[in-house]
Amino acid sequence: MSQLLDPRTLTLLVTGATSGIGAATVRRFAGAGARVIALGRRAERLEELKAHYGDLVHTAVLDTRDLKATEELVANLPEPFRAYNVVFANAGLAQGLEPAYEARIEDWDTMVDTNISGLLYTVRATLPAMVARGEGHVVLTGSIAGDYAYPGGNVYGATKAFVKQFALNLWSDVAGTGVRVTNIEPGLTETEFSVVRFRGDQGRADGVYAGATPMTGDDIAEQVFFACTLPRHVNITRIQAMASQQTFGPLVVKRTPA
């Protein structure tokens, strides 16, 4: 029987580590003895992770949309964290839920810059070293929105469709190199996602989850842990999960009143 990987042999680089899925992933892996490079834009939250896990966690403030800063950070990692073998390109967001003809262009730009460019910069800055070492795992945060459209999801859903296809093409590129690729595609998950989408409107964000039991960041972190600790000859290409009360919706027919 194949043995699961010992998490203590893993060193993760996690973007978007200051909240939600990213923070939960840091906790899950560091709690199991893995080393974690926790990256995000909120220094005080990074400091909390460092204070809790000590030498297992290295933190740095990073905006993944800055390619030069990302490359410099990766090139200057301290010795215990330099040989990372999992990269979780998790940083991403949604902004706004207006139809395309009312959406703010600046919201579209922010989602494209973060969900696509920031993810690409993270992968490009970290992948060559893993290929050279013959061992690694790229994990991306996609979404069921990459498969299933919904009103107002226009550019957000399109960015996650990009992530899905990029993951598949990336796997084609690295197959046989010792590097694995997994796209994590959550459905209804209660994090700060909706608070960001609705520009800090907590009441509106709470309404997204009212009457349902959504997944949590910890639920998704467990899926990342599963994929990353399977034996290295196994590659999980996609994990798509939904809350038990959720499904992909019926086709919408906009009917004209008689």
Side-chain angles (χ1 to χ4, degrees):
M1 181 176 178
S2 298
Q3 294 295 311
L4 297 177
L5 297 181
D6 185 340
R8 293 171 296 181
T9 67
L10 301 178
T11 299
L12 287 80
L13 184 149
V14 181
T15 65
T18 56
S19 66
I21 294 169
T25 300
V26 173
R27 294 192 300 267
R28 180 65 177 95
F29 279 85
R35 289 192 179 96
V36 183
I37 304 153
L39 307 175
R41 292 190 287 176
R42 288 175 280 191
E44 69 284 357
R45 294 195 179 186
L46 293 173
E47 289 168 3
E48 290 171 7
L49 290 170
K50 176 67 176 175
H52 190 81
Y53 294 105
D55 292 341
L56 283 176
V57 173
H58 171 71
T59 63
V61 174
L62 177 69
D63 185 339
T64 57
R65 297 173 296 181
D66 186 333
L67 174 59
K68 183 177 180 181
T70 302
E71 290 175 333
E72 289 179 352
L73 184 145
V74 172
N76 293 290
L77 287 169
E79 184 56 43
F81 298 91
R82 195 165 294 169
Y84 53 84
N85 51 13
V86 178
V87 172
F88 185 22
N90 166 70
L93 79 172
Q95 288 199 322
L97 198 61
E98 296 82 10
Y101 51 86
E102 294 178 352
R104 303 181 187 185
I105 289 294
E106 56 267 32
D107 287 347
W108 284 5
D109 287 342
T110 298
M111 287 186 282
V112 170
D113 288 345
T114 306
N115 299 353
I116 296 180
S117 296
L119 178 142
L120 292 178
Y121 295 164
T122 301
V123 173
R124 187 61 182 85
T126 57
L127 182 58
M130 290 193 290
V131 171
R133 289 192 291 267
E135 176 188 270
H137 198 154
V138 176
V139 183
L140 309 177
T141 298
S143 169
I144 65 168
D147 275 343
Y148 310 114
Y150 58 86
N154 40 73
V155 168
Y156 175 73
T159 65
K160 293 306 183 178
F162 174 92
V163 173
K164 175 185 68 176
Q165 195 61 34
F166 177 65
L168 295 175
N169 281 278
L170 184 61
W171 174 232
S172 296
D173 285 344
V174 302
T177 67
V179 176
R180 302 186 286 184
V181 180
T182 301
N183 192 31
I184 303 293
E185 305 173 16
L188 189 67
T189 306
E190 187 169 10
T191 61
E192 294 178 22
F193 175 87
S194 291
V195 176
V196 173
R197 163 167 265 175
F198 298 131
R199 303 179 182 89
D201 187 336
Q202 185 67 57
R204 191 176 179 193
D206 291 343
V208 173
Y209 312 106
T213 303
M215 296 184 291
T216 66
D218 290 331
D219 293 328
I220 309 306
E222 195 62 38
Q223 296 166 33
V224 178
F225 191 85
F226 164 75
C228 291
T229 54
L230 286 174
R232 292 204 176 278
H233 68 278
V234 180
N235 185 82
I236 302 296
T237 54
R238 302 173 67 183
I239 297 179
Q240 189 175 97
M242 298 184 185
S244 296
Q245 292 166 284
Q246 182 184 33
T247 185
F248 36 87
L251 292 175
V252 176
V253 179
K254 298 291 186 180
R255 303 186 187 278
T256 303

